[in-house]
Every structure is written in structure tokens, then in C-alpha cells.
Amino acid sequence: MEVIIVKDADEVAVTAADICCDMLTIRPNATLGLATGSTPIRLYEQLVSRYRAGDISFAKVATFNLDEYLGVGSDSPLSYRRFMNEHLFDHTDIDFVNTHFPTCAPGSDPRLMGPEYEDKIQRRGGIDLQVLGIGANGHIGFNEPGSSLGSCTRIKTLAQRTVNDNNRLLSENQIQPDMALTMGIGTILNARRILMLATGESKARAIARAVEGAVTAMCPASALQMHAYVRIVVDEAAAKELMQTEYYRWVRKKNESITAEHGGRAGEDPWFHPSLRI
Ligand code: GLP
């Protein structure tokens, strides 16, 4: 895994936005997997300002969000659809028809929605770039510890720690949902490129387990070790418990010198090299 350690949350956002913009430059009709939570908010701010500056367009892009609370309508302030509209979609030229969430209409059987979502992703040709945050317990999407490493989109009951962590985002009279539909770990691993972001000390333990710990269902993010193209962008606080920080910094320098030697424009980043079948 390529671990990119930068100073703070703003630099995480800028670095992640550079990667997303490279993707959209190479493939204007890219399919993006998107995440919610507080971590990617600054990335979305960056993307909106780059869209406003005319650097990128979302007109041909399709998006698939990782997860959505079960039983929460798209107009609810709790819904991830609303979150994405507010932080990204409403401010770009994306066609809302191309923005997808694993949702379940009232009265439908939520157990059937997972395979439907997987089909939709397949019909679009799979996910080119999946953006991820990480839970303090190592979850990705809502794949809580114990999730099968091969899991597909399905309903999932949230861990108590996740319910508590996400409580901070609610106002007083809102009840925290405790079930969600989420892409599985297998779904995430099928993405062609994965970009995970983490900021702040509260994520340091989870990042260390995901990057340098054993691959285990008890830390769902550790499954990313099985993927060939993962970049993890962390700030110094989230990198605090990593053992090999000097090595990751050294690797980054070496990669930058390769890029400088062989071309530094979008499309020439080795991560997106055409021969690597993006
Ligand atoms: C939720 C989301 C995850 C997200 C996590 C961390 O549980 N389902 O996709 O990564 O929160 O959120 P935050 O970035 O707010 O710490």
C-alpha cells in the first residue's frame, strides 16, 4: 500500500483532490465510489472549487456511494444522499440520475437491495476510483469488525462504537439509526483504485492496524492490503501509530523523482499509467 503522510487535514484534502482530478482528466466518464463522514468534506470542497475553476467536470461521471442508513428517506437531514447533495452534487454539473445510493424504498425487502446495487455497479462497468474514510474501529463503509472480507452489498447492523461515534453528527432530537445498507468489503476490493483518507489522532490506531497489522475481519480496512492499487493519505496525527513512517516518506520521495523524470502531468502518475489497466 502506498502511504502518503502530509501535514494536516487541509493537505490531505488537496492531495486526495489531485488524485481524483487526475482520474477525471484521464477518464471524464469515470465511475467514482464515494464516502460520507467528516473526513471527505474538505476533499469535496476542493473538488467543488476545482469544478468552479473549470479544471474538472462531472457531466459524464457516475457515482456510487458506499452506504446509506436503513429506513432514512433521502429528504431526511440524516441521509447520506442529502449529505452528498449538500457537499458535492448540488455544486457541480453532475447529472443526479447518475448518482447512486444503496437505498430501500418503504415497504421493499432490504435484503434484496444488495444484489440490485451490485448489478447496477456491474452494469456501469465497475468502480474506477473508490474513496474511503475509516471508522475508529477499522470499519470501511459500514463493514463493522467481523464482516466477511469477501462480502457484497447488504444490510448491516452498526457496532455500538459506530453509533456512539456518529452521534456527534446529530442534533438533539435526532435518533441515530443502527442499521444500514453498505457495499461489502468484496465490493470495495473490486474497485480498480482505492483512495483512503484519515485525519486526526482518533484514527491513528485504526490506520496502524489497517496498514501494518494482520489482515483480519476484526479490522475490515486491513483487507485493503489484498488490493494492488491502494493509496492511503493521512495527516501526521493519524500517522502517529505507524511504525514505518520514515520508510513511507522515503518511498514518496522516490516516487516523486520517478514522476519528475518520466513526466509529471495527469496521466503520467504511475498510479494511473495506461499500461496498468485503469
Ligand atoms: C461512517 C461511514 C464511513 C466513514 C466513517 C468515519 O461510519 N459509514 O464511511 O468512513 O463514518 O467517519 P468520519 O470521517 O466522520 O470519522
Side-chain angles (χ1 to χ4, degrees):
M1 293 198 275
E2 213 181 310
V3 180
I4 301 173
I5 304 168
V6 296
K7 200 166 100 261
D8 53 23
D10 284 331
E11 260 191 63
V12 168
V14 169
T15 309
D18 287 346
I19 294 169
C20 294
C21 290
D22 277 356
M23 179 84 244
L24 296 183
T25 305
I26 295 162
R27 185 168 290 181
N29 62 344
T31 302
L32 302 179
L34 296 178
T36 51
S38 46
T39 312
I41 290 179
R42 288 176 210 224
L43 161 65
Y44 298 147
E45 281 169 11
Q46 278 289 323
L47 292 179
V48 168
S49 64
R50 291 175 196 213
Y51 162 72
R52 287 186 176 142
D55 298 341
I56 49 170
S57 163
F58 291 83
K60 296 180 186 160
V61 168
T63 63
F64 287 87
N65 262 77
L66 279 168
D67 44 19
E68 180 58 284
Y69 288 123
L70 200 59
V72 167
S74 57
D75 47 342
S76 160
L78 286 183
S79 87
Y80 284 168
R81 149 68 70 190
R82 182 141 161 198
F83 174 100
M84 290 306 304
N85 288 352
E86 281 174 8
H87 290 285
L88 183 67
F89 301 153
D90 282 347
H91 315 289
T92 70
D93 59 349
I94 200 159
D95 184 342
F96 277 70
V97 171
N98 294 328
T99 61
H100 308 282
F101 290 78
T103 50
C104 182
S108 301
D109 183 342
R111 293 168 301 181
L112 306 178
M113 297 304 133
E116 257 184 39
Y117 201 57
E118 294 286 332
D119 278 355
K120 257 191 219 167
I121 295 172
Q122 286 315 313
R123 284 201 301 273
R124 171 76 192 187
I127 290 170
D128 294 306
L129 178 65
Q130 175 67 56
V131 176
L132 293 177
I134 184 171
N137 64 1
H139 77 226
I140 46 178
F142 271 128
N143 294 283
E144 298 288 17
S147 293
S148 153
L149 300 186
S151 49
C152 297
T153 306
R154 68 211 182 291
I155 40 174
K156 196 72 195 161
T157 300
L158 310 197
Q160 193 54 50
R161 183 167 182 189
T162 305
V163 173
N164 297 344
D165 284 352
N166 289 354
N167 258 335
R168 75 197 142 87
L169 305 169
L170 307 185
S171 55
E172 242 171 64
N173 52 354
Q174 288 175 326
I175 298 167
Q176 168 73 50
D178 54 11
M179 290 190 89
L181 271 155
T182 180
M183 281 186 199
I185 298 174
T187 321
I188 292 167
L189 292 179
N190 279 336
R192 285 183 271 277
R193 296 288 184 278
I194 298 177
L195 172 61
M196 188 161 86
L197 316 179
T199 57
E201 215 169 323
S202 64
K203 301 295 171 68
R205 186 83 211 106
I207 284 294
R209 290 180 70 208
V211 177
E212 295 174 345
V215 174
T216 166
M218 291 312 288
C219 178
S222 67
L224 302 182
Q225 293 177 34
M226 306 292 291
H227 194 283
Y229 297 104
V230 178
R231 276 185 176 171
I232 301 185
V233 186
V234 291
D235 65 1
E236 277 165 8
K240 230 172 175 174
E241 293 199 33
L242 287 169
M243 286 181 299
Q244 300 213 91
T245 49
E246 282 322 303
Y247 178 67
Y248 305 135
R249 290 199 162 101
W250 174 236
V251 170
R252 180 121 184 96
K253 271 208 180 104
K254 299 301 271 180
N255 284 347
E256 277 168 3
S257 62
I258 297 259
T259 305
E261 190 181 338
H262 296 284
R265 300 187 307 277
E268 289 173 323
D269 178 338
W271 212 49
F272 288 118
H273 196 280
S275 68
L276 299 177
R277 285 191 293 134
I278 49 167

